[in-house]
């Protein structure tokens, strides 16, 4: 499900079962990222799939990338693997107005 910045942050703030996933590269994450996000680089498919197997399917996943394209792809993969609750951040971290860590 695609969510706007406001929808994503509001839903995340009230979700006690949330996990944030950052599907960008190491270099992108080093520039800035959302606090408490777990990185899973979707541009490294074998590693991404390996990390995906370690995730708890009962959690709600809030996924972002730079602009929203890779995170949409990641959500599709998660759904195909049986993860029911996956939320894509439209506009990615490029448009994110919430807290970040450098």
């Amino acid at each position: 499900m695609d969510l706007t910045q406001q929808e994503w942050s509001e839903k995340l703030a009230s979700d006690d079962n949330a996990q944030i996933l950052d599907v960008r590269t190491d270099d992108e994450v080093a520039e800035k990222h959302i606090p408490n996000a777990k990185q899973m680089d979707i541009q490294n498919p074998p590693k991404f799939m390996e990390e995906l197997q370690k995730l708890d399917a009962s959690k709600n996943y809030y996924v972002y990338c730079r602009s929203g394209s890779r995170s949409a792809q990641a959500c599709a993969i998660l759904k195909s693997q049986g993860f029911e609750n996956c939320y894509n951040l439209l506009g990615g971290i490029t448009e994110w107005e919430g807290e970040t860590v450098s």
Side-chain angles (χ1 to χ4, degrees):
M1 176 186 304
D2 292 336
L3 299 177
T4 64
Q5 301 282 325
Q6 183 174 348
E7 291 168 335
W8 200 82
S9 58
E10 286 174 2
K11 193 165 184 60
L12 177 61
S14 63
D15 190 341
D16 292 334
N17 195 33
Q19 171 69 60
I20 302 171
L21 296 180
D22 183 334
V23 297
R24 300 174 303 147
T25 65
D26 291 343
D27 289 343
E28 289 173 305
V29 171
E31 288 177 24
K32 74 176 179 179
H33 58 275
I34 296 173
N36 302 314
K38 173 178 176 50
Q39 182 197 11
M40 291 175 50
D41 183 357
I42 196 167
Q43 292 183 322
N44 181 347
K47 181 79 171 155
F48 180 83
M49 294 307 289
E50 178 184 320
E51 291 297 316
L52 186 142
Q53 300 306 316
K54 299 175 186 174
L55 297 178
D56 180 349
S58 70
K59 289 201 173 287
N60 303 320
Y61 290 94
Y62 293 78
V63 188
Y64 74 96
C65 62
R66 184 178 52 83
S67 65
S69 180
R70 285 175 283 172
S71 51
Q73 181 184 7
C75 282
I77 293 168
L78 284 163
K79 290 217 179 260
S80 76
Q81 297 296 312
F83 293 82
E84 292 186 22
N85 299 312
C86 187
Y87 308 102
N88 177 41
L89 177 61
L90 291 171
I93 200 164
T94 301
E95 296 182 19
W96 179 248
E97 295 175 0
E99 184 182 356
T100 59
V101 179
S102 298

